[in-house]
Amino acid sequence: MASPYCRCCGKALTDPVSREAGFGPVCRIQNKFNQANERTQDMFAPPRADYEVSLIQGVVCIVDHDNGKSVTNDAELVIQDLQERRLLVGPFSEPRRVIYRDTMGVWDEILHENGKFAGFRPVQEKDRAAALAKIKGGQS
Ligand SMILES: [Zn+2]
């Protein structure tokens, strides 16, 4: 829901992606982290996330098909999948960055450490090429 102010902390939102989401990057990522850490004991819990993985310019790009559990909710197991498929490291054992397009259509990074989920970081782009440019051009 579009809003000029963060619906979580009330700060004025300046960039279009934040305005469209209704949350600033800090609150958006905090919400994701909370979702990822929610342990559902519900036997009727939704199934695993449905997503697509591609390797582009050495970056693992995930698109959430928004069908069942979200990648955000399932981040820990998604990283585990990538680890099992040996996608988290490159040919020289260098760690690969992982970005994903969430159910809002925004690309963010999923952090991993030693093959395990380690959090989220805002990329804050709706276009994959722009997200890749940000990831490749920025700090590691
Ligand atoms: Zn906020």
Side-chain angles (χ1 to χ4, degrees):
M1 193 200 306
S3 161
Y5 300 103
C6 178
R7 284 187 283 139
C8 188
C9 68
K11 271 192 192 158
L13 301 173
T14 50
D15 71 291
V17 169
S18 294
R19 280 173 171 251
E20 194 181 329
F23 292 100
V26 172
C27 295
R28 214 164 48 74
I29 293 300
Q30 184 58 48
N31 287 344
K32 287 189 168 188
F33 202 67
N34 294 343
Q35 280 181 49
N37 284 328
E38 260 168 30
R39 291 278 180 280
T40 171
Q41 304 296 328
D42 185 356
M43 64 183 293
F44 301 109
R48 291 287 320 276
D50 175 15
Y51 62 93
E52 189 182 307
V53 180
S54 29
L55 190 59
I56 299 162
Q57 297 167 33
V59 176
V60 179
C61 300
I62 294 174
V63 170
D64 194 333
H65 284 168
D66 201 8
N67 185 17
K69 215 169 178 180
S70 71
V71 169
T72 304
N73 271 289
D74 210 24
E76 207 173 306
L77 291 177
V78 168
I79 289 296
Q80 195 176 302
D81 290 346
L82 297 177
Q83 165 79 347
E84 280 164 15
R85 292 169 65 182
R86 300 173 191 277
L87 285 168
L88 292 179
V89 291
F92 306 104
S93 301
E94 73 282 12
R96 281 187 178 135
R97 312 279 294 268
V98 177
I99 59 173
Y100 82 114
R101 195 183 73 188
D102 67 14
T103 50
M104 303 282 297
V106 180
W107 289 92
D108 282 319
E109 184 171 13
I110 308 181
L111 305 174
H112 59 90
E113 225 176 273
N114 304 317
K116 298 218 182 309
F117 169 67
F120 299 99
R121 181 188 281 158
V123 175
Q124 196 82 355
E125 293 288 348
K126 298 201 97 173
D127 178 62
R128 192 183 67 191
L132 280 169
K134 218 177 216 184
I135 283 282
K136 308 279 289 184
Q139 70 306 331
S140 60

